[in-house]
Amino acid sequence: KAGVTQTPRYLIKTRGQQVTLSCSPISGHRSVSWYQQTPGQGLQFLFEYFSETQRNKGNFPGRFSGRQFSNSRSEMNVSTLELGDSALYLCASVEEEGRETQYFGPGTRLLVL
Amino acid sequence: SQKIEQNSEALNIQEGKTATLTCNYTNYSPAYLQWYRQDPGRGPVFLLLIRENEKEKRKERLKVTFDTTLKQSLFHITASQPADSATYLCAHSMDSNYQLIWGAGTKLIIKP
């Protein structure tokens, strides 16, 4: 099976702009989680989607949003970008049975100038 | 609140020796702990999972222990190789939501 794919891999934006990141999970996986990773920080959970519904949400401001489509592909959106949003954004695909293990994509590196 | 800590300093180990990484947690008892490997510019890759009722888990040169009294998990790589150099992350979950809480990771450097 193909792994988790994320697009784009790299992105440069300026403050105030918005950005949309995309994630395609492993075929057959219906759950997608999104994380933010910054140097020195652990992975910070953003949200999880399952069957087009947000199932869990982390402690991030409302500028961070997401959605999931019927084919399980997911997008996350960050509006009104701030310098502190510069990070590696990772999405993880989860098989519903044996749900503990997360399969990560390569990430999207976002730089906000 | 749930907290999980890993040694933030890089760990330098001579090739062939055993590398041991530590993951400590406080204020709760996780249902299980997981260890992942992350290479620069890439997403984490799952290595091992150990449950609260297990003391030890092995996979090839990898071994994980779980001490609920010390609130600690140790991750060992025996006969370490330069290719083992990476950042190792531990994560836990304590509820049926399987919501993972992550440590910041420890960078492991294996010197030839």
Side-chain angles (χ1 to χ4, degrees):
Chain A
K1 283 184 183 179
V4 178
T5 58
Q6 290 186 248
T7 56
R9 292 293 312 279
Y10 305 93
L11 208 48
I12 300 175
K13 292 283 187 180
T14 55
R15 277 182 300 174
Q17 287 187 309
Q18 75 161 15
V19 66
T20 299
L21 311 181
S22 180
C23 170
S24 292
I26 292 171
S27 176
H29 290 192
R30 292 189 293 161
S31 170
V32 173
S33 292
W34 286 90
Y35 293 89
Q36 181 194 67
Q37 186 177 37
T38 51
Q41 298 284 322
L43 275 74
Q44 304 294 314
F45 172 72
L46 282 156
F47 26 67
E48 179 199 6
Y49 285 88
F50 174 76
S51 290
E52 303 180 63
T53 302
Q54 188 179 85
R55 183 156 62 177
N56 282 302
K57 188 177 188 303
N59 192 26
F60 276 80
R63 299 185 296 107
F64 292 81
S65 63
R67 59 178 176 167
Q68 187 179 35
F69 302 94
S70 58
N71 62 356
S72 294
R73 189 177 71 86
S74 178
E75 288 182 348
M76 68 162 279
N77 185 276
V78 188
S79 62
T80 320
L81 284 167
E82 301 176 359
L83 295 180
D85 296 332
S86 295
L88 180 66
Y89 290 88
L90 292 157
C91 100
S93 167
V94 179
E95 191 173 19
E96 204 50 22
E97 193 166 331
R99 197 175 149 205
E100 300 102 339
T101 303
Q102 311 222 334
Y103 299 88
F104 285 86
T108 294
R109 185 162 296 281
L110 171 66
L111 177 61
V112 182
L113 301 175
Chain B
S1 63
Q2 303 168 31
K3 195 172 179 182
I4 193 163
E5 293 179 343
Q6 295 183 256
N7 192 339
S8 58
E9 293 181 10
L11 182 63
N12 287 275
I13 298 292
Q14 196 66 38
E15 182 179 6
K17 302 291 186 185
T18 296
T20 299
L21 287 72
T22 304
C23 180
N24 295 300
Y25 57 93
T26 57
N27 301 333
Y28 57 87
S29 296
Y32 60 85
L33 273 160
Q34 300 186 40
W35 285 87
Y36 288 74
R37 167 184 173 143
Q38 186 174 24
D39 291 286
R42 306 185 79 168
V45 175
F46 171 76
L47 296 174
L48 282 168
L49 179 152
I50 186 165
R51 300 187 188 282
E52 59 180 334
N53 60 348
E54 297 175 316
K55 290 253 191 273
E56 182 179 297
K57 205 72 152 316
R58 290 176 185 262
K59 179 183 174 183
E60 296 173 353
R61 296 185 295 112
L62 310 180
K63 184 178 84 171
V64 173
T65 62
F66 195 174
D67 190 324
T68 53
T69 302
L70 293 178
K71 294 186 183 295
Q72 182 180 80
S73 174
L74 297 179
F75 176 80
H76 307 271
I77 304 176
T78 57
S80 59
Q81 305 166 2
D84 295 326
S85 299
T87 295
Y88 290 85
L89 305 168
C90 71
H92 82 85
S93 177
M94 60 179 291
D95 58 35
S96 58
N97 268 334
Y98 299 105
Q99 195 50 61
L100 290 177
I101 307 296
W102 295 79
T106 298
K107 186 174 182 178
L108 175 66
I109 301 168
I110 306 297
K111 297 179 177 178

